[in-house]
Amino acid sequence: MNIPDSSNPRVVIIGGGFAGVAVAQKLKNKEFQVVLLDKHNYHNFQPLMYQVATGGLESGSIAYPMRKIIKEHKEAFFRMTLVEQIDTENKKVITDIGTIYYDYLVIATGSTNNYFGNKEIEKNSMVMKTIPEALNIRTLLLENFELALQTNDMNERKALMNFVIVGAGPTGVELAGALAEMKKAVFPKDYPDLDISMMEINLIQGGEKILDAMSKKSSKAAEKFLKDLGVKIHLKTIVTNYDGKRIETKDGLSFDTHAVIWSAGVKGAPIEGMPQALDRASRIRVNEFNQVEGFTDVFALGDVAAMYGDKFQYGHPMMAQPAIQQGNLLAENLERLEKKQSLKKFIYNDKGSMATIGRNKAVVDLPKLHFNGVFAWFVWMFVHLFSLIGFKNKTLVFWSWVYNYFVFDRESRVIIRPYRKNRDIKTTG
Ligand SMILES: Cc1cc2nc3c(=O)[nH]c(=O)nc-3n(C[C@H](O)[C@H](O)[C@H](O)COP(=O)(O)OP(=O)(O)OC[C@H]3O[C@@H](n4cnc5c(N)ncnc54)[C@H](O)[C@@H]3O)c2cc1C
């Protein structure tokens, strides 16, 4: 891998997401050699990915180069590589570009989609965990509209204009809201020769309420916002199959659609080599210092880690804040380990959660206050702008939002590379 030897202990971090980057940043110019490994050469700001999928933002505005993150660090290295295996016995990590030895290992690989074993759904639905996947959704959305124009078969046209989102957590809700906004303000202008009223947005949720990790008040408010925008919400509905053309549910609901977006579940993304420590959501069991059970030099953080406790029976929520806070504390604890001091326990500072539904509409749950509407929307925007890494990205996102707000537009509506997912659609053209 061409990493020089060092007199400092080597910290190998797998994953440059919120957790991994927090550790790397906090270890800047400390007495460690930091080696950051990721299969992508950029940090992805996932909370705004739905805006890339719906043409509101360019992908570059939510991606930040890893090399820039560690640019001014005295002894930090980045390698773009897929990590394949961990060998804790020999303290090494095996990747597709070689092997690297560690003194301390940080596993921060995040999460992956959970289809609960349904191979058909996995094969045919769209997901949004990475930027290329968000761009695939954007392309599919636009291609479906192009195809809808070309066909005279009304059933086919309806299926092409039917967008089904499975899972009404923040991702599903935000995506549904953005699509509904496009139906109202963008598509009628882009496709004047298409009957846009045929477009449907169906949001399917297995539980009794949408945004089920949020307060009842926020959930109700979000439901009303979505319904006002024309989104059809199906609660207590379990999807059983999607063959690429027809989606079916446990209680008999079914409809034709050429776009199913799966946001119904995630599970940890651990790496081969430590299966003994996995919990029921494939997360790695860690103690209150984020040490993987049975190890003092191997840590897991963020989405991939499950720290069971009184308040969080099955681990912390798979959100950015626990990942960042765990990363920050781990950097401090690594220094303490080197100084032979006792480690600090992780205590999650829950700052709340929020989701936006569309123009001027958001819901915010703070620890002691729940509110929604225009003010919540401004809070949502401020928090997301503030959280983006890099001045350039903050500026790009800010100006895109200002432009989109005043022009009622989503300017990134271009099909850069075609996308076909098991497609067999006949058109008249
Ligand atoms: C669409 C979407 C919207 C979201 N919205 C919100 C929100 O509004 N608010 C919120 O708090 N949270 C949100 N989340 C969740 C939040 O993004 C995650 O909880 C957070 O990213 C977890 O951080 P992490 O560092 O654990 O993992 P990640 O940020 O996912 O980073 C994991 C990194 O590991 C790398 N990696 C994985 N496996 C390997 C491997 N084998 N080899 C090399 N590299 C590897 C990946 O490329 C990635 O860069 C959202 C998630 C998604 C998908």
Side-chain angles (χ1 to χ4, degrees):
M1 249 191 226
N2 265 342
I3 307 282
D5 287 337
S6 168
S7 53
N8 287 325
R10 177 184 285 166
V11 181
V12 173
I13 304 169
I14 311 174
F18 286 100
V21 162
V23 185
Q25 283 179 325
K26 277 270 164 181
L27 287 182
K28 181 178 177 183
N29 301 344
K30 298 283 164 64
E31 302 304 306
F32 290 96
Q33 183 192 63
V34 174
V35 180
L36 179 60
L37 310 174
D38 200 294
K39 55 189 170 187
H40 301 118
N41 79 340
Y42 54 84
H43 168 79
N44 170 10
F45 190 78
Q46 294 175 353
L48 289 181
M49 220 153 42
Y50 80 96
Q51 297 211 2
V52 172
T54 52
L57 289 175
E58 282 299 350
S59 54
S61 55
I62 64 159
Y64 195 81
M66 295 288 187
R67 295 196 174 279
K68 231 169 147 180
I69 289 172
I70 56 159
K71 197 175 73 178
E72 281 156 12
H73 293 212
K74 216 169 49 189
E75 207 187 344
F77 300 87
F78 170 71
R79 292 292 179 268
M80 186 172 126
T81 175
L82 178 74
V83 175
E84 291 167 343
Q85 209 184 330
I86 295 162
D87 176 354
T88 47
E89 215 165 287
N90 298 300
K91 294 184 67 130
K92 65 180 183 183
V93 168
I94 298 147
T95 79
D96 62 355
I97 57 164
T99 296
I100 184 158
Y101 289 85
Y102 62 80
D103 294 298
Y104 297 106
L105 177 63
V106 181
I107 307 169
T109 47
S111 57
T112 182
N113 300 296
N114 192 353
Y115 303 92
F116 306 99
N118 192 318
K119 292 280 169 212
E120 276 276 284
I121 292 176
E122 180 172 355
K123 188 172 130 208
N124 296 308
S125 64
M126 310 290 292
V127 286
M128 197 174 59
K129 281 296 291 176
T130 64
I131 290 177
E133 286 167 351
L135 290 172
N136 287 345
I137 292 178
R138 183 175 92 184
T139 302
L140 181 87
L141 170 75
L142 298 171
E143 283 180 348
N144 278 6
F145 268 84
E146 296 299 326
L147 289 168
L149 260 179
Q150 293 165 29
T151 183
N152 287 325
D153 178 337
M154 283 301 132
N155 289 331
E156 192 66 350
R157 183 176 287 177
K158 200 161 178 268
L160 283 161
M161 295 172 75
N162 187 3
F163 296 89
V164 181
I165 300 160
V166 187
T171 302
V173 164
E174 293 184 337
L175 205 51
L179 284 173
E181 291 282 4
M182 288 180 91
K183 178 180 177 182
K184 209 167 79 176
V186 176
F187 289 137
K189 284 187 267 175
D190 272 10
Y191 300 93
D193 42 350
L194 196 61
D195 177 8
I196 299 297
S197 69
M198 283 177 76
M199 179 182 176
E200 270 190 32
I201 302 144
N202 286 285
L203 180 61
I204 300 182
Q205 168 76 331
E208 291 183 352
K209 63 182 184 87
I210 65 168
L211 296 175
D212 56 5
M214 294 189 74
S215 65
K216 218 172 172 177
K217 182 179 170 188
S218 292
S219 168
K220 276 277 153 228
E223 191 177 328
K224 185 176 179 319
F225 288 148
L226 284 174
K227 283 184 174 161
D228 289 349
L229 282 167
V231 175
K232 293 183 180 165
I233 300 174
H234 310 270
L235 296 175
K236 293 192 259 179
T237 305
I238 307 288
V239 171
T240 50
N241 202 22
Y242 176 54
D243 63 4
K245 288 182 181 150
R246 194 165 185 79
I247 189 164
E248 283 163 14
T249 70
K250 209 171 173 181
D251 45 7
L253 178 77
S254 71
F255 27 69
D256 291 340
T257 167
H258 288 294
V260 168
I261 298 150
W262 184 258
S263 65
V266 285
K267 57 182 182 181
I271 291 174
E272 205 188 314
M274 42 185 19
Q276 75 281 15
L278 295 188
D279 81 339
R280 60 184 195 162
S282 301
R283 297 170 95 189
I284 300 170
R285 286 289 302 269
V286 294
N287 65 14
E288 62 266 64
F289 313 117
N290 282 97
Q291 283 165 318
V292 176
E293 277 183 1
F295 296 91
T296 51
D297 54 355
V298 183
F299 303 83
L301 307 176
D303 278 6
V304 77
M307 188 189 290
Y308 289 10
D310 294 344
K311 207 167 158 210
F312 300 97
Q313 216 186 335
Y314 298 111
H316 296 94
M318 287 157 109
M319 287 169 64
Q321 270 304 318
I324 294 168
Q325 291 176 27
Q326 288 177 355
N328 288 339
L329 182 69
L330 178 61
E332 199 183 324
N333 273 337
L334 286 173
E335 287 196 272
R336 297 178 81 86
L337 264 177
E338 281 298 301
K339 291 179 191 153
K340 311 256 179 295
Q341 293 171 343
S342 59
L343 302 186
K344 280 192 183 170
K345 283 185 185 176
F346 178 72
I347 298 167
Y348 177 44
N349 175 12
D350 186 355
K351 296 179 177 168
S353 54
M354 54 186 74
T356 179
I357 293 88
R359 197 184 184 78
N360 297 335
K361 298 178 190 78
V363 291
V364 174
D365 278 358
L366 297 181
K368 288 191 179 133
L369 184 67
H370 309 149
F371 55 99
N372 56 67
V374 183
F375 180 63
W377 188 64
F378 276 105
V379 171
W380 179 92
M381 282 199 295
F382 176 78
V383 168
H384 283 76
L385 260 188
F386 183 77
S387 308
L388 274 162
I389 302 182
F391 179 72
K392 192 200 90 190
N393 286 13
K394 284 182 171 63
T395 315
L396 281 175
V397 169
F398 177 73
W399 284 115
S400 294
W401 284 350
V402 170
Y403 177 85
N404 293 347
Y405 189 81
F406 287 107
V407 185
F408 284 83
D409 202 2
R410 290 187 156 250
E411 54 184 350
S412 309
R413 298 193 302 282
V414 283
I415 301 171
I416 299 291
R417 54 177 167 75
Y419 179 75
R420 289 280 180 275
K421 183 147 190 156
N422 311 318
R423 176 157 276 173
D424 175 24
I425 298 166
K426 290 187 179 54
T427 63
T428 48

